[in-house]
Amino acid sequence: MAAERLQFHEMGLDDRLLKAVADLGWSQPTLIQEKAIPLALEGKDLLARARTGSGKTAAYAVPVIQRILASKQSVREQDVRALILVPTKELGQQVQAMIRQLAAFCSRDVRVADVTGKTDLSAQRPLLMEKPDVVVGTPSRVLAHLAAQNLVLHSSLEMLVVDEADLLFSFGFEADLKSLLCHLPKIYQSFLMSATFTEDVQALKELLLHNPVVLKLQGSQLPDSSQLQQYSIKCEEEDKFLLVYTLLKLRLVQGKTLVFVGTVDRSYRLKLFMEQFGIPACVLNSELPVQSRCHIITQFNQGFYDYIIATDEQSLANPAAAPPAGKGKKKRSSERAGKSKDKEFGVSRGVDFQNVANVLNFDFPLTVESYIHRVGRTARADHPGTALSLVSHTELALLAEVEEALAGDNADSVLKPYTFRMEEIEGFRYRCRDAMRSVTKQAVREARLKEIKQELLNSEKLKTYFEDNPRDLQLLRHDKDLHPAVIKPHLRNVPEYLVPETLKGCVNPLSARRRRKTALRSKPAGVVRSSFKKNLGGKNPLKSFQYSGARSSRS
Ligand code: AMP
């Protein structure tokens, strides 16, 4: 089947684009690219439902660049020819980076400017005055620039892309998007990309697209179980910490892992808890300055960190837009009040975290949509992935809704219960309680404040110093210990007698950690891949623990 797939070089693309694609190491187009690129090159409007990680950015970026190159052969005048609307700054940066990579061999002909950043409109004005060929921005930002006449599109625009269209609505950009359309010419080609086809997206389709081709390529919104393993563990609230300790400290979960929590406070609670055991992690939330957030994601993608504790706040910030998955859902009101939060932030959505081996839902997501977006951060392109959800009794209704939705979507993708004997890890409970005693409310508050101060400083450095000294950029780390809690050095080690019988000989946490450190030292950044399966000669310890546990409970 793969052999029949239309190849990049059969699409009539400019040689410079083909060279960039080869440089990226893409041997063949993904399904959506294979379908969308030729249709787009024919001039068709497209509405594409593409699951996250399907390669959808290049599906529109390649035809956008191709068309710019073609149109510059006849009209050399510099003008803004394409506008790409995105819901978040992170996605904006990512789209810009992707376009730069694809236009690496024609960078003089295809210039791109991302205006999603928080800087003043006036500071971005000179960027737009140069009339970059492609402008990337959120609807509000672009509208503000249009209103300030920093940007004029009514005579030059040839292509409009609305990426993650469903999210633009849930992020509250609808009015801005509609006002923005008045500034566009009568005729232009449009691409609408969306993970889900909501009513809002259908309405936008009527408004934007002319006779579009609709591509619904993926039946399911998540890859099937041959690529993505989904598990759930039902547990008590306190057990969540015990489980995280076991999973990470015994390295049952290996490779780069995104841990999702429900609130910012919880992310610091978990970070401080992990800190007690010498497990470093970055936190990522909307309170951090955008430069820091983007730097954390870049470094994570380059293999600097194993763990990010992310707060998926959008459904909290915007509860009306994302209906609750479970009845009787309690809103985390203290978190929703946050004044300093960034509306255009979304960790679980759109952001291209690379080579994520596992998504760990420490807190279960509040909506089905959020579950899909979170879990979609792993098993991207053709990589395998594991999603593990810790579900307390108060979250059971949410789990049921997700299971029902996924069963309707694809019977194969229902979450499997992760079966093992809780008694086997009971020995660790005392250590976890000991650690939790240091993670007081006061410690969490202090950690949160300290981190924000630290990251504001980092952000300043990122803005100025590192521009002049790019080589030093990698020295700036975001996973340092925060230390407001008392550290008990003995907690860092796992005594051999506490390791569950079924894992003895299979997992050696200390030597695994040492091995990882050596690997990090000996490999250049960007080459460090997920160590999933590697440490155990291809055996996944998460699986071996489960299956042996299940066997022993039967015997
Ligand atoms: P996206 O769905 O656009 O966020 O892309 C997900 C990831 O797939 C990105 O890291 C891309 O660099 C990667 N990717 C896109 N197209 C291809 C391709 N044809 N072959 C391999 N990887 C790809």
Side-chain angles (χ1 to χ4, degrees):
M1 246 166 61
E4 288 165 23
R5 189 169 282 188
L6 188 70
Q7 300 299 309
F8 282 117
H9 68 265
E10 295 167 322
M11 293 178 177
L13 298 172
D14 191 283
D15 280 351
R16 291 166 288 178
L17 252 173
L18 290 175
K19 209 163 167 226
V21 164
D23 253 29
L24 282 163
W26 298 353
S27 52
Q28 61 171 7
T30 63
L31 188 60
I32 181 159
Q33 290 163 2
E34 185 201 10
K35 301 292 175 214
I37 295 172
L39 288 165
L41 293 177
E42 278 175 34
K44 295 258 181 358
D45 279 4
L46 293 180
L47 170 59
R49 169 173 150 176
R51 75 171 171 75
T52 47
S54 58
K56 67 183 169 54
T57 316
Y60 64 75
V62 167
V64 161
I65 295 171
Q66 174 69 24
R67 185 160 169 182
I68 291 171
L69 290 174
S71 105
K72 282 202 160 174
Q73 285 188 339
S74 46
V75 185
R76 288 222 57 91
E77 203 177 319
Q78 189 60 36
D79 240 326
V80 178
R81 290 180 156 90
L83 174 65
I84 300 175
L85 297 174
V86 293
T88 64
K89 297 184 179 76
E90 285 80 0
L91 187 58
Q93 223 195 36
Q94 212 170 278
V95 168
Q96 170 172 260
M98 175 99 288
I99 292 180
R100 291 222 165 117
Q101 282 175 312
L102 286 169
F105 297 96
C106 48
S107 53
R108 265 203 247 155
D109 282 324
V110 183
R111 277 182 266 157
V112 53
D114 167 26
V115 295
T116 53
K118 246 192 174 166
T119 29
D120 275 355
L121 279 189
S122 53
Q124 290 177 339
R125 189 181 150 85
L127 205 68
L128 291 174
M129 286 293 113
E130 287 180 17
K131 298 189 179 168
D133 302 272
V134 186
V135 171
V136 183
T138 58
S140 324
R141 262 279 134 156
V142 172
L143 188 62
H145 279 301
L146 286 164
Q149 300 207 316
N150 297 342
L151 181 65
V152 180
L153 296 172
H154 60 74
S155 58
S156 67
L157 193 82
E158 295 176 20
M159 283 162 290
L160 172 71
V161 180
V162 183
D163 199 355
E164 304 266 1
D166 49 347
L167 295 183
L168 281 177
F169 285 97
S170 54
F171 280 38
F173 283 124
E174 185 179 358
D176 288 343
L177 186 60
K178 287 188 178 148
S179 319
L180 191 154
L181 296 180
C182 312
H183 295 264
L184 306 187
K186 276 217 170 89
I187 298 173
Y188 51 88
Q189 188 181 9
S190 305
F191 308 127
L192 204 61
M193 320 298 279
S194 189
T196 49
F197 280 179
T198 56
E199 273 178 30
D200 289 331
V201 173
Q202 293 296 343
L204 194 58
K205 172 186 160 196
E206 303 301 322
L207 207 64
L208 274 187
L209 306 178
H210 309 280
N211 225 351
V213 179
V214 181
L215 296 173
K216 285 187 190 174
L217 298 174
Q218 202 80 29
S220 159
Q221 294 177 57
L222 289 170
D224 66 27
S225 61
S226 64
Q227 191 184 348
L228 172 69
Q229 304 273 340
Q230 298 179 74
Y231 297 109
S232 67
I233 303 182
K234 293 177 187 161
C235 60
E236 301 294 333
E237 167 59 25
E238 184 198 353
D239 295 344
K240 288 189 174 185
F241 289 90
L242 173 59
L243 282 161
V244 161
Y245 170 86
T246 313
L247 293 167
L248 303 187
K249 199 68 191 171
L250 298 187
R251 299 192 58 74
L252 292 172
V253 160
Q254 295 195 349
K256 291 201 287 186
T257 301
L258 278 177
V259 185
F260 280 103
V261 293
T263 66
V264 178
D265 257 3
R266 245 157 105 97
S267 65
Y268 288 104
R269 184 166 292 274
L270 188 56
K271 178 173 163 81
L272 293 186
F273 173 76
M274 286 162 63
E275 212 171 284
Q276 296 279 319
F277 299 108
I279 310 171
C282 302
V283 289
L284 191 60
N285 60 57
S286 61
E287 286 183 353
L288 302 178
V290 66
Q291 277 88 357
S292 297
R293 276 163 14 207
C294 291
H295 193 230
I296 291 170
I297 294 166
T298 307
Q299 287 188 321
F300 181 73
N301 285 343
Q302 290 172 336
F304 279 73
Y305 312 121
D306 272 350
Y307 308 119
I308 285 187
I309 306 173
T311 316
D312 177 24
E313 291 151 283
Q314 208 41 242
S315 52
L316 301 169
N318 224 333
K327 290 177 193 84
K329 178 198 83 136
K330 281 201 195 93
K331 286 163 196 158
R332 289 158 181 157
S333 53
S334 61
E335 290 296 323
R336 287 198 287 115
K339 320 124 218 138
S340 58
K341 298 231 175 98
D342 183 349
K343 175 170 154 265
E344 296 165 16
F345 168 77
V347 177
S348 74
R349 301 132 196 260
V351 177
D352 183 24
F353 290 103
Q354 286 160 12
N355 300 320
V356 175
N358 317 287
V359 167
L360 179 60
N361 283 320
F362 186 80
D363 291 325
F364 203 74
L366 298 181
T367 64
V368 173
E369 190 203 20
S370 170
Y371 180 87
I372 290 168
H373 278 289
R374 283 185 186 187
V375 171
R377 301 303 101 202
T378 185
R380 288 167 82 79
D382 294 326
H383 298 287
T386 304
L388 183 60
S389 298
L390 311 184
V391 190
S392 69
H393 294 297
T394 56
E395 294 167 321
L396 285 174
L398 301 172
L399 172 68
E401 290 240 355
V402 165
E403 288 194 311
E404 192 185 314
L406 292 185
D409 201 26
N410 174 1
D412 201 22
S413 58
V414 182
L415 284 76
K416 296 183 185 73
Y418 183 76
T419 44
F420 72 103
R421 296 199 304 181
M422 200 70 191
E423 312 89 85
E424 293 205 14
I425 60 169
E426 237 359 89
F428 294 128
R429 191 177 293 277
Y430 180 76
R431 311 191 118 232
C432 290
R433 285 196 179 146
D434 198 9
M436 283 310 282
R437 265 194 287 277
S438 310
V439 186
T440 57
K441 268 192 184 159
Q442 176 71 14
V444 169
R445 210 175 306 132
E446 278 174 30
R448 190 168 169 172
L449 263 175
K450 188 171 172 186
E451 172 94 332
I452 292 172
K453 277 192 200 148
Q454 184 59 47
E455 287 302 336
L456 280 172
L457 266 173
N458 284 347
S459 162
E460 280 310 307
K461 286 189 201 163
L462 283 165
K463 256 192 260 170
T464 51
Y465 174 78
F466 290 112
E467 265 171 29
D468 303 329
N469 305 279
R471 280 160 153 262
D472 294 351
L473 194 59
Q474 304 301 16
L475 300 175
L476 183 72
R477 291 190 71 100
H478 303 267
D479 65 344
K480 290 196 184 132
D481 284 358
L482 290 170
H483 283 316
V486 181
I487 296 284
K488 297 173 180 150
H490 71 280
L491 290 179
R492 285 180 173 252
N493 303 325
V494 184
E496 186 67 24
Y497 68 90
L498 286 181
V499 176
E501 227 18 77
T502 41
L503 287 174
K504 282 198 174 127
C506 169
V507 172
N508 181 346
L510 294 181
S511 62
R513 190 172 159 71
R514 230 170 275 137
R515 251 201 305 270
R516 191 166 52 90
K517 273 195 169 165
T518 325
L520 266 168
R521 245 181 267 123
S522 59
K523 285 183 188 167
V527 184
V528 187
R529 289 269 159 85
S530 122
S531 54
F532 204 65
K533 295 183 182 167
K534 227 191 285 171
N535 285 349
L536 297 158
K539 230 164 101 191
N540 176 351
L542 188 65
K543 271 193 183 168
S544 49
F545 186 44
Q546 171 176 233
Y547 295 139
S548 50
R551 260 201 308 279
S552 60
S553 64
R554 274 199 297 273
S555 61

